């Protein structure tokens, strides 16, 4: 209602209002249909066929009505699943509108057998809705079945020679024949060509061919293979996937409403095509007649030589260009050597191989350049060069040979003789180390292979090793501090009790006021000395002189008048103690009272 | 210097606690049954070209509780001879945890890595840093941890000595020990952390399709082949693993097609 009022108040003209209403209806109605349909959830699973071969596909369609949730495909374990997307269908039957979503999948069998797929399920509001189950039968594919079932399109893999010699090239051709339109053709599995050297022979090419009255478009991929070892070598099958275009059946009314009106008149059906594997029986090259220095060259070749200059001076270089051309495994040949001599030095350039992959055979040209520097004047003769190879067409070893090489060497402008480095014969021709193969370092049989090892640290041991040094350090530090604290506490305790001890000692001294002996002087002097010792943490009962005590008090910052007073009393006591002075009782009492007063003042300062 | 040293000792304590918290003790299996005969039989099978039997023999010894670098190395060789590049790389990487400096292992691992089909464009700065920090790659996690504990103990013992003898040489040694404690502590911590929290995996199947979600019907983002290594980000009980390549690509694969190093 509110929406209607908002539209009514809209400043749009009446046509605009109607347009807004139409949009509103378009937004609301499907939603209401959806809400209404949510109460009726159903899943229907179907396939395009229930029997197929291992190279074929099943097209699985799961129609989900009442909810827009993609069903789980957990139950599909014996097939490789590839989603093909989804489409929404809307139906109006007897005025009732309903919608459903179709999820399409390609199921490619992993093996032959009978399999049950489904039920597929969705969950909504705590409830689980399931589809039906489907039984599929997958059979092994036979050559006859394949030929009969895929006459409109098929693939082949062939070689021109199933029994070559080692290193003899064979032509491998993969052909895709089709008499109908296809799309998205992809070679998904290719042979690994284990045991072969592989060279591509140009790009793919297309041609037409008529077989049994049917015209086929043929796409060919050609490769040249050179078997590197003898025995039986297997070329694995290739597999091609494509979509075969088929004309769609359109009918009324179902075909008009249910099919995608924008999809045109064609639909595609997936196809998977596989070739047969090929066994190649590689023969060993004949042993008889194998020349020395044979470098596993198989084919037909010609060798030419060209010299850049027929006359050079001593020390100057002439370039000898050797060109080996032909058909065969030229790419495996490293270089061509010139015979060494003390009359010249040879400097090698890097060989250059130019492949020739046109036509139906692989070949090329190997160009080897060498710089020759003559060392002595005269005529330099180099014997004809030859490269041995095996010609499989004639089944024998032969050689490609050049003519002799002659270069006139004239004396150089300088009279200096060029001496080759090193003593005796010509230095060997240097060449890079060529890696001929790779393999693993062998396994181990050492006794330590039977000893369990650790790569992670036990937590308890690591914690103990981590904490122990810290505890040791903490213990040492704590011990030292405790010892220091004890000492200072002892000193502070002694200092606090010093005055009390002094008063006690002066009481003893008073008892001897009346006596005429040295007891009074001894007690009084000791009381002062013990008091100072207690205050400074020194041992009591020491024989410190008045001057020693005066210095200690001076270092402690005691005022000079107090120090001199104490010094005077100590000297009084010393004179009385050691006998050469005696004083009356009143004088001794007066000195003692003065001493108590000074000690009290001193106690407050220290 | 004393106050600095007192403050500086705090850091080794923190680092050490962090390192030890991430360390996990290795479990030890039960004692193997007749391991010598098993190893001999497996080696003989390998020599005779029966690589499947050899792999089975080595795996049985490992499952019996004898886990060490040599056995994983042998098992990797057996898989490599069978053409199982993914399993070979998995075993070589596991052996590398025990024998990081073994030249034969590095040679075979390099050979196996050459057989991989996938080429990934990854940032190399972290490998260059790891190569610069030679102790990080040259020592196993076990060795690195004990080196750290050793210099850690040396540091505290030097501090104890310094309590009684405040000599400049002792102070310098303390500073050096502190530096190496921090250095090896960080290295050991990082190695333990990455081993536990940043695991790596290897593709075992010939070809796996990495999808956008955990459903066979989800979009195939890209395909990987045997031997490709990745970061193991997450695994679900539904049987899916989320992986991340070094160039940032992510996706889900079935757990049966991959394995964690």
């Amino acid at each position: 209602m509110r929406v209607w009022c908002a539209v009514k108040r809209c400043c749009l003209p009446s046509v605009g209002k109607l347009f807004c209403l139409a949009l509103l209806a378009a937004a609301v109605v499907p939603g209401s249909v959806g809400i209404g349909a949510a109460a009726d959830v159903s899943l229907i699973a179907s396939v395009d066929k229930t029997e197929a071969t291992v190279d074929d596909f099943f097209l699985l369609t799961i129609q989900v009505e009442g909810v827009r949730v993609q069903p789980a495909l957990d139950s599909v374990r014996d097939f490789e699943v590839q989603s093909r997307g989804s489409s929404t269908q809307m139906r109006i039957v007897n005025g009732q509108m309903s919608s459903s979503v179709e999820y399409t999948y390609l199921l490619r069998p992993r093996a032959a057998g009978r399999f049950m797929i489904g039920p597929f399920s969705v969950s909504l509001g705590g409830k689980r809705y399931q589809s039906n189950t489907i039984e599929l039968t997958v059979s092994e594919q036979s050559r006859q079945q394949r030929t009969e079932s895929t006459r409109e399109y098929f693939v082949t893999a062939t070689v021109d020679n199933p029994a070559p010699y080692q290193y003899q090239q064979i032509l491998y051709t993969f052909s895709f024949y089709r008499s109908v339109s296809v799309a998205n053709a992809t070679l998904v599995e290719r042979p690994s060509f284990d045991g072969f050297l592989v060279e591509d022979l140009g790009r793919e090419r297309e041609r037409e061919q008529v077989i049994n009255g049917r015209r086929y478009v043929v796409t060919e991929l050609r490769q040249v293979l050179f078997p590197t070892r003898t025995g039986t070598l297997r070329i694995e099958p290739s597999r091609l996937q494509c979509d075969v275009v088929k004309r769609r059946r359109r009918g009324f009314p179902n075909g008009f409403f249910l099919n995608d009106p924008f999809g045109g008149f064609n639909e595609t059906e997936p196809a998977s095509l596989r070739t047969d594997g090929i066994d190649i029986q590689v023969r060993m090259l004949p042993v008889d007649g194998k020349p020395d220095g044979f470098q596993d060259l198989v084919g037909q070749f010609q060798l030419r030589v060209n010299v850049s200059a027929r006359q050079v001076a001593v020390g100057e270089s002439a370039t000898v260009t050797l060109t080996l051309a032909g058909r065969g495994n030229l790419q495996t040949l490293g270089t061509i050597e010139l015979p060494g001599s003390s009359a010249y030095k040879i400097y090698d350039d890097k060989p250059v191989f130019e492949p020739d992959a046109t036509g139906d055979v692989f070949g090329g040209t190997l160009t080897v350049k060498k710089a020759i520097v003559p060392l002595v004047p005269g005529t330099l003769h180099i014997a004809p060069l030859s490269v041995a190879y095996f010609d499989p067409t004639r089944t024998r070893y032969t050689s490609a040979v050049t003519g002799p090489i002659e270069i006139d060497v004239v004396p150089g402008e300088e009279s200096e003789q060029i001496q080759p480095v090193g003593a005796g014969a010509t230095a060997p021709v240097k060449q890079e180390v060529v890696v001929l193969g790779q393999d693993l370092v062998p396994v181990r049989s050492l006794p330590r292979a039977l000893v369990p090892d650790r790569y992670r640290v036990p937590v308890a041991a690591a914690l103990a090793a981590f904490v122990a040094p810290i505890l040791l350090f903490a213990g040492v530090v704590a011990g030292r501090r405790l010892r220091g604290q004890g000492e200072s506490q002892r000193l502070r305790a002694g200092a606090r009790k010093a005055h009390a001890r002094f008063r006690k000692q002066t009481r003893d001294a008073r008892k001897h006021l009346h006596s005429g002996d040295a007891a009074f002087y001894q007690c009084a002097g000791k009381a002062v000395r013990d008091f100072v010792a207690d205050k400074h943490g020194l041992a009591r009962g020491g024989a410190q002189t008045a001057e020693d005590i005066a210095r200690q008090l001076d270092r402690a910052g005691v005022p000079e008048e107090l120090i001199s007073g104490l010094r005077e009393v100590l000297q009084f006591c010393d004179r009385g103690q050691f006998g050469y002075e005696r004083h009356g009782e009143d004088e001794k009492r007066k000195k003692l009272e003065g001493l108590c007063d000074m000690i009290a003042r001193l106690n407050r300062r220290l | 210097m004393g106050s600095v040293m007192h403050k500086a000792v705090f850091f080794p304590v923190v680092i050490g606690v962090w390192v030890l918290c991430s360390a996990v003790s290795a479990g030890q299996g039960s004692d193997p049954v007749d391991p010598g005969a098993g190893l001999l039989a497996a080696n003989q099978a390998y020599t005779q070209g029966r690589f499947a039997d050899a792999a089975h023999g080595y795996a049985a010894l490992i499952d019996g509780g004898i886990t060490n670098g040599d056995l994983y190395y042998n098992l990797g060789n057996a898989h490599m001879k069978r053409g199982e590049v993914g399993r070979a790389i998995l075993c070589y990487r596991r052996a590398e945890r025990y024998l990081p400096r073994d030249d034969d292992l590095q040679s075979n691992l390099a050979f196996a890595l050459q057989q991989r089909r996938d080429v990934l464009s990854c940032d190399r700065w972290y490998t260059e840093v790891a190569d610069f920090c030679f102790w990080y790659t040259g020592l196993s996690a076990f060795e690195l941890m004990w080196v750290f504990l050793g210099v850690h103990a040396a540091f505290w013992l030097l501090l104890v000595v310094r309590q009684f003898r405040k000599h400049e040489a002792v102070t310098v040694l303390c500073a050096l020990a502190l530096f190496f404690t921090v250095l090896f502590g960080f290295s050991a911590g990082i190695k333990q952390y990455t081993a536990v929290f940043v695991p790596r995996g290897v593709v075992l199947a010939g070809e796996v399709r990495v999808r956008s979600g955990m459903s066979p019907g989800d979009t195939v983002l890209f395909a990987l082949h045997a031997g490709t290594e990745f970061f193991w980000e997450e695994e679900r009980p539904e049987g899916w693993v989320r992986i991340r390549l070094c160039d940032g690509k992510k996706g889900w694969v079935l757990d049966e097609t991959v394995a964690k190093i």
Side-chain angles (χ1 to χ4, degrees):
Chain A
M1 185 62 181
R2 287 183 183 178
V3 173
W4 165 245
C5 293
V7 171
K8 193 177 177 182
R9 284 195 299 271
C10 180
C11 296
L12 296 172
S14 59
V15 174
K17 290 181 185 176
L18 286 175
F19 182 68
C20 289
L21 280 173
L23 284 179
L24 196 61
V28 169
V29 168
S32 64
V33 170
I35 292 170
D40 302 322
V41 177
S42 69
L43 283 82
I44 303 172
S46 60
V47 291
D48 60 336
K49 52 185 177 291
T50 58
E51 293 185 7
T53 62
V54 290
D55 292 326
D56 205 345
F57 281 101
F58 294 97
L59 198 66
L60 169 67
T61 304
I62 303 176
Q63 184 181 13
V64 181
E65 278 195 25
V67 65
R68 294 188 71 85
V69 175
Q70 187 167 4
L73 266 69
D74 299 334
S75 60
V76 182
R77 294 194 179 276
D78 300 303
F79 298 86
E80 203 174 296
V81 179
Q82 183 180 350
S83 174
R84 298 276 289 183
S86 62
S87 63
T88 303
Q89 313 274 342
M90 293 188 68
R91 298 190 194 85
I92 302 175
V93 179
N94 296 329
Q96 294 285 332
M97 181 178 288
S98 62
S99 69
S100 64
V101 182
E102 282 189 357
Y103 299 91
T104 309
Y105 304 91
L106 280 178
L107 305 183
R108 179 170 167 265
R110 299 184 194 274
R114 298 170 75 91
F115 307 99
M116 187 72 71
I117 61 172
F120 310 102
S121 62
V122 298
S123 295
L124 179 68
K127 285 188 68 177
R128 189 179 175 88
Y129 301 91
Q130 292 186 332
S131 71
N132 51 305
T133 60
I134 304 173
E135 184 176 351
L136 301 178
T137 304
V138 181
S139 56
E140 291 288 350
Q141 195 174 29
S142 70
R143 191 190 183 96
Q144 183 62 26
Q145 281 177 334
R146 180 168 53 248
T147 307
E148 292 298 328
S149 64
T150 59
R151 285 301 293 175
E152 290 183 324
Y153 43 89
F154 58 94
V155 292
T156 63
T158 58
V159 295
D160 64 342
N161 182 1
Y165 284 102
Q166 188 179 8
Y167 296 113
Q168 178 185 2
Q169 64 174 290
I170 60 175
L171 179 64
Y172 170 85
T173 306
F174 172 85
S175 304
F176 177 30
Y177 292 78
R178 59 206 184 275
S179 61
V180 294
S181 297
V182 298
N184 302 324
T186 308
L187 205 57
V188 294
E189 282 183 18
R190 304 186 70 161
S192 61
F193 297 117
D194 186 34
F196 295 94
L197 287 174
V198 183
E199 298 285 349
D200 290 325
L201 204 59
R203 296 178 61 83
E204 62 187 42
R205 61 182 191 181
E206 278 197 0
R207 60 183 175 83
E208 287 190 356
Q209 183 174 346
V210 176
I211 302 175
N212 294 336
R214 185 185 290 229
R215 185 185 299 276
Y216 291 91
V217 174
V218 186
T219 301
E220 287 184 345
L221 290 171
R222 299 182 310 154
Q223 293 169 295
V224 168
L225 310 179
F226 297 90
T228 58
R229 57 177 189 260
T230 57
T232 302
L233 301 181
R234 180 160 180 82
I235 301 175
E236 300 97 341
S238 300
R239 188 165 68 87
L240 180 139
Q241 282 186 3
C242 64
D243 293 324
V244 181
V245 178
K246 292 187 182 301
R247 293 189 68 82
R248 184 199 302 267
R249 274 193 311 110
R250 292 174 61 84
F252 182 87
N254 293 330
F256 183 79
F257 284 104
L258 296 183
N259 291 341
D260 182 3
F262 301 104
F265 294 95
N266 296 325
E267 62 183 6
T268 60
E269 182 179 293
S272 176
L273 308 172
R274 182 190 292 267
T275 66
D276 289 329
I278 304 174
D279 288 325
I280 307 295
Q281 302 298 329
V282 182
R283 296 176 285 169
M284 193 170 59
L285 291 169
V287 177
D288 294 337
K290 183 180 286 189
D292 294 334
F294 177 68
Q295 299 182 71
D296 295 330
L297 204 58
V298 178
Q300 297 88 31
F301 304 99
Q302 303 86 38
L303 182 63
R304 296 192 307 272
V305 64
N306 180 53
V307 184
S308 63
R310 291 292 178 180
Q311 185 181 78
V312 294
V314 171
E316 291 181 356
S317 69
T319 302
V320 175
T321 303
L322 299 167
T323 306
L324 182 66
R327 299 174 300 179
N329 57 330
L330 261 179
Q331 72 275 27
T332 63
L333 186 66
T335 186
I336 304 169
E337 301 297 342
L338 284 182
S341 171
S342 59
Y344 54 83
K345 290 185 72 177
I346 302 173
Y347 297 92
D348 292 321
D349 196 1
K350 191 173 181 181
V352 175
F353 174 69
E354 295 176 3
D356 179 10
T358 58
D360 292 336
V361 291
F362 179 84
T365 304
L366 178 69
T367 304
V368 180
K369 291 190 177 182
K370 296 179 185 293
I372 291 184
V373 178
L375 302 176
V376 292
T379 302
L380 196 153
H381 295 279
I382 299 177
L385 302 173
S386 69
V387 175
Y389 63 91
F390 179 79
D391 188 347
T393 59
R394 291 189 285 179
T395 322
R396 65 186 178 93
Y397 294 94
T398 185
S399 296
V401 185
T402 68
I405 302 172
E406 290 187 357
I407 302 175
D408 289 330
V409 183
V410 297
E413 292 181 358
E414 297 173 357
S415 60
E416 180 181 352
Q417 292 288 324
I418 299 174
Q419 299 292 336
V421 174
T426 310
V429 176
K430 300 290 190 293
Q431 66 180 24
E432 287 184 3
V433 176
V434 177
V435 175
L436 300 177
Q438 283 183 303
D439 198 2
L440 300 172
V441 179
V443 294
R444 298 190 177 156
S445 56
L446 301 171
R448 76 177 191 190
L450 295 173
V451 178
D453 203 352
R454 285 179 180 271
Y455 73 94
R456 287 178 178 166
V457 179
V459 175
L463 272 176
F466 179 78
V467 169
I470 300 175
L471 289 179
L472 174 66
F473 174 75
V476 168
V477 170
R480 285 170 62 87
R481 287 189 178 182
L482 280 174
R483 196 174 67 177
Q485 282 176 356
E487 186 68 21
S488 62
Q489 277 178 354
R490 187 184 66 77
L491 290 176
R492 283 196 297 273
R496 282 195 298 270
K497 294 180 183 174
H499 198 210
R501 290 199 193 107
F502 173 80
R503 285 200 296 270
K504 182 172 180 293
Q505 283 174 307
T506 54
R507 281 199 291 275
D508 293 337
R510 284 180 203 282
K511 294 175 186 174
H512 298 288
L513 278 173
H514 306 289
S515 66
D517 56 12
F520 167 79
Y521 302 103
Q522 186 178 0
C523 289
K526 185 175 184 302
V528 174
R529 289 183 171 86
D530 287 345
F531 174 82
V532 174
D534 286 341
K535 281 296 187 182
H536 287 88
L538 302 175
R540 306 178 85 233
Q544 298 178 78
T545 65
E547 291 304 318
D548 293 335
I549 291 175
R551 278 195 292 273
Q552 286 182 14
L553 295 177
D554 184 54
R555 281 198 295 269
V558 176
E560 181 58 33
E561 55 93 14
L562 194 55
I563 293 174
S564 62
L566 284 172
R567 184 193 293 116
E568 194 266 334
V569 170
L570 278 171
Q571 288 170 348
F572 172 84
C573 293
D574 289 342
R575 288 196 296 271
Q577 180 179 353
F578 296 107
Y580 58 88
E581 250 187 48
R582 287 289 183 269
H583 306 90
E585 181 180 337
D586 290 337
E587 190 177 359
K588 285 192 282 190
R589 182 178 288 111
K590 191 176 174 183
K591 282 291 184 188
L592 189 62
E593 298 298 333
L595 178 62
C596 292
D597 181 58
M598 284 187 285
I599 291 299
R601 287 161 57 193
L602 190 61
N603 186 53
R604 287 193 289 273
R605 291 193 70 86
L606 294 178
Chain B
M1 181 65 193
S3 62
V4 173
M5 293 297 291
H6 281 293
K7 289 178 184 175
V9 302
F10 176 74
F11 287 101
V13 174
V14 172
I15 293 168
V17 170
W18 174 52
V19 166
L20 293 171
C21 284
S22 60
V24 176
S25 62
Q28 293 293 319
S30 57
D31 290 332
V33 176
D34 199 9
L39 178 64
L40 181 63
N43 284 350
Q44 283 179 342
Y46 184 94
T47 307
Q48 293 166 3
R50 295 181 287 115
F51 301 118
D53 294 336
H56 180 77
Y58 296 133
L61 289 170
I62 292 171
D63 292 339
I66 306 178
T67 51
N68 58 49
D70 290 325
L71 273 182
Y72 275 118
Y73 167 88
N74 287 2
L75 182 57
N77 274 20
H79 284 307
M80 199 63 204
K81 285 293 188 181
R82 298 183 65 196
E84 297 169 340
V85 175
R87 294 187 187 278
I89 292 175
L90 174 70
C91 293
Y92 288 144
R93 287 297 188 194
R94 287 178 176 172
E96 209 176 19
R97 294 183 301 194
Y98 299 91
L99 307 170
R101 300 178 296 280
D102 192 290
D103 289 336
D104 292 346
L105 171 62
Q106 292 300 323
S107 173
N108 287 3
L109 176 59
F111 180 67
L113 294 176
Q114 282 179 2
Q115 312 305 315
R116 295 186 300 187
R117 286 182 57 181
D118 298 325
V119 176
L120 297 174
S121 301
C122 304
D123 291 332
R124 295 293 180 193
W125 66 267
Y126 54 87
T127 55
E128 290 172 356
V129 170
D131 290 340
F132 175 76
C133 303
F134 58 91
W135 61 91
Y136 183 86
T137 52
L139 296 174
S140 66
F142 183 82
E143 294 166 337
L144 200 54
M145 176 62 74
W146 284 114
V147 169
F148 158 69
L149 290 173
V151 293
H152 162 81
F155 168 70
W156 290 103
L157 288 175
L158 284 170
L159 281 184
V160 169
V161 170
R162 193 168 175 276
Q163 290 292 312
F164 299 99
R165 192 177 177 83
K166 283 184 171 49
H167 196 274
E168 187 179 348
V170 177
T171 304
V172 170
L173 286 175
C174 283
L176 278 175
L178 175 63
F179 169 77
F180 284 113
T181 299
V182 173
L183 182 70
F184 284 108
F186 267 120
S187 299
I190 291 171
K191 199 145 191 169
Q192 293 285 351
Y193 176 83
T194 53
V196 175
F197 297 104
V198 191
R200 296 173 61 91
V202 181
V203 175
L204 300 182
E207 180 178 297
V208 297
R209 297 184 181 179
V210 185
R211 301 180 184 271
S212 58
M214 295 186 295
S215 168
D218 285 327
T219 305
V220 177
L221 300 175
F222 50 93
L224 296 177
H225 301 85
T228 299
E229 295 175 88
F230 52 85
F231 293 101
W232 190 288
E233 291 211 322
E234 184 183 353
E235 54 184 305
R236 293 290 185 87
E238 297 92 333
W240 291 86
V241 174
R242 190 173 73 173
I243 67 168
R244 175 172 58 87
L245 301 182
C246 63
D247 59 3
K249 294 188 181 69
K250 294 184 184 183
W252 294 88
V253 295
L254 288 168
D255 59 359
E256 61 197 20
T257 61
V258 296
K260 190 187 292 186
I261 294 176

